[in-house]
Amino acid sequence: MPRSKRRAPSSTNHHTSIEMSPSAHEEGISRHPSKRLRHTSSGRRYGKTEDVSSATTFSQKRCITWFREYTTPDDSDNLGPEGMEKFCEDIGVEPENVVMLVLAYKMNARQMGFFTLSEWLKGLSELQCDSISKIQQKLEYLRNQLNDPHTFKGIYRYAYDFARDKDQRSMDMETARVMLQLLLGKHWPLFTQFAQFLDQSKYKVINKDQWCNILEFSRTINNDLSNYDLDGAWPVMLDEFVEWLKMQRGEEASSTETRGS
């Protein structure tokens, strides 16, 4: 994901209280030595079971403790850019990796570069992750979410509001280019040409209607543009892209014929 340019305002602290069930050692021990010995052995067995359970069972308390490894004492319920870099380093993923966008989508995070405690708990409770090793085991699952067309569409639409500057209604072109590369660069054969078109165009921002239609265009229009309808309800930006691309292809054909003559 592109790095955030602005710091999100601190949210109201929400501390989650967890009631722990009493262990076997907290129960009364018999006065008889033989019973005491049997109870001690039982307690040891319980301890081993608890260790195994912690490796497989999700714990909200552990999840919160893990979250606060990336926050500061004066803002313990908000994970910011520095904490985000450490988190990415710990799980072995670059901040710009698309899997971080999918994780943010699972958390329904509001702003790029920041996680609140409530967002963290929402996403990681669903994923049943309360440690570095557990989230690492889920990375492939998160990447595979992009292979489902319906889920991908949800992530793509989410990315617009997630990545844009919250002070602006539209997304600046620099951020839009990075996000489009992240989401469509490897899957849309015309992406390189579209990026070139944006570079030379008059557009400085992309609004949400344009953003959503770019995805639909990439999914439905043939690479040779043969099924593009000029009278369709596409945004003007995409009409202009089609005209530009046809002209580019016409120039390439003309130059090839000239060299061959």
Side-chain angles (χ1 to χ4, degrees):
M1 296 182 294
R3 300 178 189 276
S4 176
K5 301 176 184 176
R6 301 172 62 87
R7 180 168 180 80
S10 299
S11 62
T12 304
N13 289 351
H14 300 284
H15 299 285
T16 306
S17 59
I18 309 295
E19 292 186 5
M20 300 299 293
S21 59
S23 68
H25 296 293
E26 293 173 332
E27 298 174 358
I29 300 178
S30 171
R31 288 189 297 250
H32 298 287
S34 60
K35 292 183 178 179
R36 185 183 300 115
L37 179 61
R38 285 198 299 273
H39 184 87
T40 302
S41 299
S42 175
R44 287 171 183 164
R45 286 196 301 273
Y46 177 86
K48 290 179 181 178
T49 303
E50 187 177 41
D51 290 342
V52 173
S53 177
S54 68
T56 57
T57 306
F58 175 80
S59 164
Q60 191 178 66
K61 184 177 181 180
R62 279 198 303 271
C63 196
I64 294 171
T65 300
W66 182 29
F67 176 82
R68 294 209 166 107
E69 291 180 11
Y70 306 112
T71 64
T72 58
D74 61 334
D75 197 10
S76 61
D77 284 359
N78 289 284
L79 188 161
E82 290 185 6
M84 191 70 72
E85 287 190 13
K86 185 177 185 302
F87 171 66
C88 289
E89 181 180 346
D90 284 351
I91 67 174
V93 172
E94 292 293 327
E96 296 82 8
N97 194 303
V98 71
V99 77
M100 289 301 296
L101 176 61
V102 181
L103 180 58
Y105 170 76
K106 288 290 184 182
M107 295 184 183
N108 196 26
R110 180 178 177 272
Q111 185 170 6
M112 187 166 56
F114 299 87
F115 293 148
T116 66
L117 177 57
S118 61
E119 292 167 351
W120 176 275
L121 286 175
K122 177 191 180 300
L124 295 188
S125 295
E126 179 184 336
L127 294 170
Q128 292 288 286
C129 293
D130 55 20
S131 66
I132 292 170
S133 60
K134 287 181 182 178
I135 194 68
Q136 286 175 328
Q137 292 170 12
K138 289 286 187 176
L139 293 178
E140 191 61 29
Y141 162 77
L142 291 171
R143 290 189 185 96
N144 287 337
Q145 295 294 290
L146 297 165
N147 297 329
D148 177 73
H150 179 74
T151 304
F152 180 85
K153 185 174 183 178
I155 294 170
Y156 180 90
R157 286 174 173 263
Y158 162 80
Y160 183 83
D161 289 319
F162 175 64
R164 70 178 173 83
D165 189 327
K166 299 304 180 287
D167 293 336
Q168 304 294 327
R169 294 186 62 183
S170 298
M171 183 186 289
D172 68 88
M173 187 58 71
E174 180 182 357
T175 302
R177 281 284 309 277
V178 173
M179 297 303 292
L180 288 170
Q181 172 70 54
L182 194 67
L183 290 160
L184 299 180
K186 294 181 179 180
H187 309 288
W188 184 24
L190 294 180
F191 175 77
T192 299
Q193 291 95 321
F194 185 68
Q196 292 170 351
F197 163 75
L198 292 178
D199 280 344
Q200 58 82 52
S201 74
K202 62 187 178 184
Y203 295 100
K204 305 300 180 186
V205 298
I206 287 182
N207 62 42
K208 194 162 188 175
D209 180 63
Q210 292 166 337
W211 177 265
C212 293
N213 273 282
I214 289 169
L215 175 62
E216 293 307 310
F217 184 98
S218 72
R219 285 180 162 183
T220 59
I221 301 304
N222 298 334
N223 295 335
D224 62 3
L225 307 177
S226 59
N227 63 336
Y228 186 80
D229 182 5
L230 288 174
D231 297 322
W234 296 105
V236 173
M237 170 188 281
L238 291 172
D239 287 334
E240 292 176 350
F241 167 60
V242 169
E243 292 177 7
W244 176 86
L245 184 56
K246 286 181 175 179
M247 185 170 62
Q248 294 295 111
R249 288 173 171 175
E251 290 175 354
E252 290 174 2
S254 297
S255 60
T256 301
E257 291 171 0
T258 301
R259 287 195 301 269
S261 60

